[in-house]
Amino acid sequence: MGSRRRRQQHHGRWVVPSVAPAAAAFVAAGMLLLVVAFHCFLSPPPGVGGGGSFVRRPNPPFLLNKPGELRRNLVGTVDFTVPSGGSKLGEELWVSKSAHNFVGCSNATKEFADAKAVTESNRYLTIATSGGLNQQRTGIIDAVVAARILNATLVIPKLDQASFWKDASDFVDIFDADSFISSLSNDVKIIRQVPERNGKTPSPYKMRVPRKCTPTCYENRVLPALLKKHVVQLTKFDYRVSNRLETDLQKLRCRVNYHALQFTDPILKMGQMLVQRMRAKSGRFIALHLRFEPDMLAFSGCYFGGGEIERRELGEIRKRWKTLHESNPDRERRHGKCPLTPEEVGFMLRALGFGKDVHLYVASGDVYGGEETLAPLKALFPNFHSKETLASKEELAPFLPFSSRMAALDYVVCDGSDVFVTNNNGNMARMLAGRRRYFGHKRTIRPNSKKLSSLFLNRTSMSWDTFASKVQMFQKGFMGEPNEIKPGKGEFHEHPMDCICARTKGRTGHSKPHLSKHVGEAVENRTSDVEFDWRDLDYGENTPLGRDSSYETDPDYSRVGGSDVPELEDIISD
């Protein structure tokens, strides 16, 4: 390393003495930069000592060919001291103080008639779901609502088996069909298959409805076909029912999602066994839905420091979606639309106050960059687990060939965690966030990416205490507290407000949101006029775009993650 220049005080100012001509100084500065670069990239990671962890980004899994790329990535190689201990907040970090003031409430009102009284004979509705596990889950939930709107009998939904991963699982392989049918018997009549006519099963009339179709939309578009054809199949059925509905229909959504739609016993038992093994290692744990796979990164249009190789690799993947605009990585990051790297997620959690001894369960596909990309996160949280590390190959064997069943295991473990952290706003993140709110407002953390991105870029210019203080300030409104969102806003599966009631003395009533001073800031920070839609980013799914993408917008739809924009259909999964 070069020797440090001494500064001299001259007339009250600090100056650097001139000891060589300008050209020589320029060459010396360039040589110093190269020496620093060589040292940072080739020296081994520092050890752990004293009271803190020293975490350094590992050598990038990409070759940086341009000097400009080298200088840009030097920022991430500076050692950053992180205290080993956790926050003094203690229990408050793990559990919201006000969580016990709210309870899930989805019972039907007296005005909601029994299914036997409203179901018309000779009307059969079936759907073909689209996407990965959680995208299909939204379709199943809304299929029940659509059948109720049409006073029709619902046929057990058909799952998507033609996706990129070719998952041959059917409804009964993932969900408990008997529970589904019986639990909803008072709401919608459900059968396993359409009755035969003259010894043959009638072929359904296939059609598609726009995204966010309202009850009136169903009555105008689907009911005439149902009256004429009697058996109708709605295709590519995901997010095809309006976000805003009358209260009884919203409560029906909750009864389907949180009570009727249960995983099969093999999935539940395996998932619960994984939860038990996590708890045996530590009394409580964090579950992280990392979502840092190549397809996710390509779709985001962001840059993560991998030079020309990264740009070429992710650029090729991005070409699959013809309707995506040309990416502008700096703009995407400024607008908070880039997922955090595993290292950044680790820094965020440590800054929030979670100590190095916390056990972390990570739900993820193949991470871009592999183990080198995960190394900084594992250094920050050495107690790093996944279903593959908790279970043997023999135990996972029945699930391994099926991406949806593997995703279901992650869903069960994330749901059973004390704290759930999501690095995206995709279907799994939304479904779990809503479920955790319904069942007691269990802590759910989503990064305030818009504010955190600039902080991460400048983190080496400040002390750890300053960095942690800023992270904690930026995350207010993003920690899964009750009523973090303005009334009437947000996607329903993530914020099922019609199904959450406030506990009061002697009775339980609907929540009247009391917004904290940070709510407006949180909503503002999450909103962008150009933000893309994450709902099609499901787990382990990659299907081509359809030609009939609906660009219908719903003026009532406004979610936390951004304003409502035209969606890309079947992009990726969870």
Side-chain angles (χ1 to χ4, degrees):
M1 294 180 64
S3 61
R4 189 183 308 171
R5 291 182 178 179
R6 290 182 296 176
R7 294 182 293 181
Q8 295 180 344
Q9 194 172 14
H10 180 69
H11 298 298
R13 295 179 298 168
W14 292 99
V15 298
V16 179
S18 175
V19 296
F26 180 82
V27 172
M31 291 297 293
L32 179 61
L33 175 63
L34 290 176
V35 170
V36 172
F38 183 82
H39 173 75
C40 292
F41 275 88
L42 298 183
S43 60
V48 178
S53 320
F54 297 89
V55 178
R56 189 172 71 84
R57 187 188 305 276
N59 295 341
F62 323 100
L63 178 63
L64 303 178
N65 297 316
K66 295 185 177 180
E69 299 294 345
L70 180 61
R71 289 194 298 271
R72 178 169 184 170
N73 283 275
L74 279 175
V75 176
T77 66
V78 179
D79 294 339
F80 200 49
T81 305
V82 185
S84 295
S87 169
K88 296 179 181 179
L89 289 175
E91 195 68 21
E92 185 179 346
L93 184 61
W94 292 87
V95 181
S96 169
K97 283 184 176 180
S98 56
H100 69 279
N101 294 327
F102 300 88
V103 63
C105 53
S106 58
N107 290 338
T109 65
K110 295 179 180 179
E111 290 75 25
F112 196 69
D114 189 275
K116 295 177 182 178
V118 298
T119 304
E120 298 288 346
S121 62
N122 216 17
R123 291 187 195 177
Y124 298 96
L125 181 71
T126 182
I127 67 159
T129 60
S130 177
L133 174 66
N134 294 286
Q135 189 171 331
Q136 293 185 87
R137 190 182 186 100
T138 65
I140 295 167
I141 296 165
D142 285 346
V144 176
V145 175
R148 176 72 191 205
I149 292 170
L150 296 166
N151 295 330
T153 296
L154 178 67
V155 181
I156 287 285
K158 179 178 176 57
L159 300 190
D160 181 1
Q161 298 177 338
S163 64
F164 177 83
W165 294 101
K166 306 297 182 185
D167 191 327
S169 300
D170 210 340
F171 186 96
V172 296
D173 298 317
I174 298 175
F175 301 107
D176 185 335
D178 291 332
S179 172
F180 183 67
I181 294 171
S182 61
S183 296
L184 297 169
S185 59
N186 293 330
D187 301 311
V188 172
K189 183 179 179 181
I190 304 175
I191 59 177
R192 291 177 179 269
Q193 59 185 20
V194 180
E196 292 185 352
R197 291 181 184 175
N198 300 321
K200 295 182 180 179
T201 301
S203 298
Y205 174 77
K206 296 182 180 181
M207 62 182 298
R208 190 173 302 172
V209 294
R211 290 286 178 94
K212 301 181 285 284
C213 195
T214 64
T216 302
C217 166
Y218 276 92
E219 291 166 358
N220 291 338
R221 292 174 180 253
V222 183
L223 186 57
L226 198 57
L227 293 174
K228 183 177 181 179
K229 303 293 184 179
H230 305 298
V231 182
V232 170
Q233 183 185 72
L234 302 179
T235 61
K236 295 181 73 69
F237 199 79
D238 56 341
Y239 293 95
R240 303 288 170 173
V241 176
S242 174
N243 185 58
R244 278 195 170 185
L245 298 170
E246 62 180 65
T247 300
D248 266 323
L249 291 179
Q250 297 288 52
K251 285 181 176 292
L252 175 57
R253 270 176 163 161
C254 293
R255 292 197 294 279
V256 180
N257 193 9
Y258 307 133
H259 299 285
L261 203 53
Q262 302 290 333
F263 291 123
T264 59
D265 282 345
I267 291 174
L268 276 179
K269 289 178 180 178
M270 186 65 192
Q272 290 166 355
M273 184 184 73
L274 295 175
V275 173
Q276 291 169 0
R277 289 180 181 178
M278 284 298 296
R279 295 214 179 278
K281 295 177 180 295
S282 175
R284 50 192 177 187
F285 68 95
I286 297 174
L288 166 63
H289 187 213
L290 187 56
R291 203 62 175 96
F292 203 72
E293 295 85 11
D295 52 8
M296 174 72 172
L297 306 188
F299 180 70
S300 73
C302 300
Y303 174 70
F304 299 93
E308 290 303 317
I309 291 180
E310 177 193 315
R311 289 193 174 97
R312 182 172 66 251
E313 290 177 346
L314 299 186
E316 285 300 312
I317 298 174
R318 190 174 173 85
K319 289 178 182 178
R320 300 173 187 171
W321 308 303
K322 306 300 182 184
T323 57
L324 284 179
H325 58 74
E326 184 176 352
S327 65
N328 184 330
D330 291 335
R331 181 187 64 194
E332 305 302 322
R333 192 166 295 279
R334 286 197 309 271
H335 290 164
K337 293 184 285 183
C338 297
L340 302 187
T341 66
E343 179 184 46
E344 291 169 342
V345 173
F347 279 135
M348 178 192 73
L349 291 175
R350 293 296 297 275
L352 287 173
F354 294 102
K356 186 177 181 179
D357 60 339
V358 169
H359 284 251
L360 187 68
Y361 177 91
V362 177
S364 176
D366 292 330
V367 171
Y368 188 54
E371 283 299 312
E372 288 182 299
T373 302
L374 287 173
L377 176 60
K378 290 184 176 181
L380 289 162
F381 290 96
N383 298 310
F384 186 99
H385 310 281
S386 67
K387 54 184 176 293
E388 289 80 9
T389 65
L390 293 171
S392 66
K393 292 182 178 179
E394 291 75 20
E395 289 172 321
L396 289 176
F399 309 94
L400 280 171
F402 309 99
S403 61
S404 290
R405 299 182 210 184
M406 291 288 280
L409 295 180
D410 278 336
Y411 186 100
V412 174
V413 180
C414 290
D415 182 40
S417 66
D418 298 275
V419 173
F420 173 58
V421 181
T422 173
N423 194 25
N424 63 83
N425 198 29
N427 292 301
M428 181 172 171
R430 291 184 178 201
M431 299 300 282
L432 276 168
R435 181 179 179 84
R436 292 172 68 86
R437 286 187 173 94
Y438 183 84
F439 288 109
H441 276 90
K442 293 191 289 185
R443 178 71 75 197
T444 302
I445 299 174
R446 184 145 58 100
N448 181 355
S449 301
K450 188 174 183 180
K451 289 290 186 70
L452 292 179
S453 60
S454 60
L455 181 63
F456 285 127
L457 288 175
N458 298 291
R459 71 175 186 266
T460 55
S461 65
M462 65 188 77
S463 69
W464 171 258
D465 288 342
T466 300
F467 173 79
S469 177
K470 288 181 178 292
V471 169
Q472 292 166 22
M473 178 177 63
F474 293 157
Q475 280 300 119
K476 289 178 179 178
F478 292 76
M479 298 292 289
E481 292 287 335
N483 300 323
E484 279 185 342
I485 189 169
K486 290 181 178 179
K489 301 294 184 179
E491 198 272 332
F492 184 78
H493 294 302
E494 184 179 7
H495 298 276
M497 300 306 294
D498 287 298
C499 303
I500 297 177
C501 298
R503 295 182 189 271
T504 57
K505 291 182 179 180
R507 65 187 182 89
T508 300
H510 278 287
S511 169
K512 292 183 179 180
H514 173 71
L515 301 177
S516 72
K517 62 182 179 181
H518 304 289
V519 171
E521 179 186 359
V523 174
E524 179 183 355
N525 289 341
R526 298 181 191 191
T527 304
S528 169
D529 291 336
V530 294
E531 184 164 358
F532 59 77
D533 199 322
W534 296 79
R535 284 176 296 174
D536 290 317
L537 298 179
D538 260 346
Y539 183 98
E541 177 79 31
N542 190 341
T543 52
L545 284 170
R547 295 184 176 181
D548 59 341
S549 296
S550 170
Y551 290 87
E552 179 179 287
T553 59
D554 182 350
D556 291 335
Y557 179 78
S558 177
R559 62 184 174 84
V560 174
S563 57
D564 188 31
V565 296
E567 305 172 332
L568 298 170
E569 292 193 27
D570 300 330
I571 294 175
I572 318 173
S573 262
D574 288 352

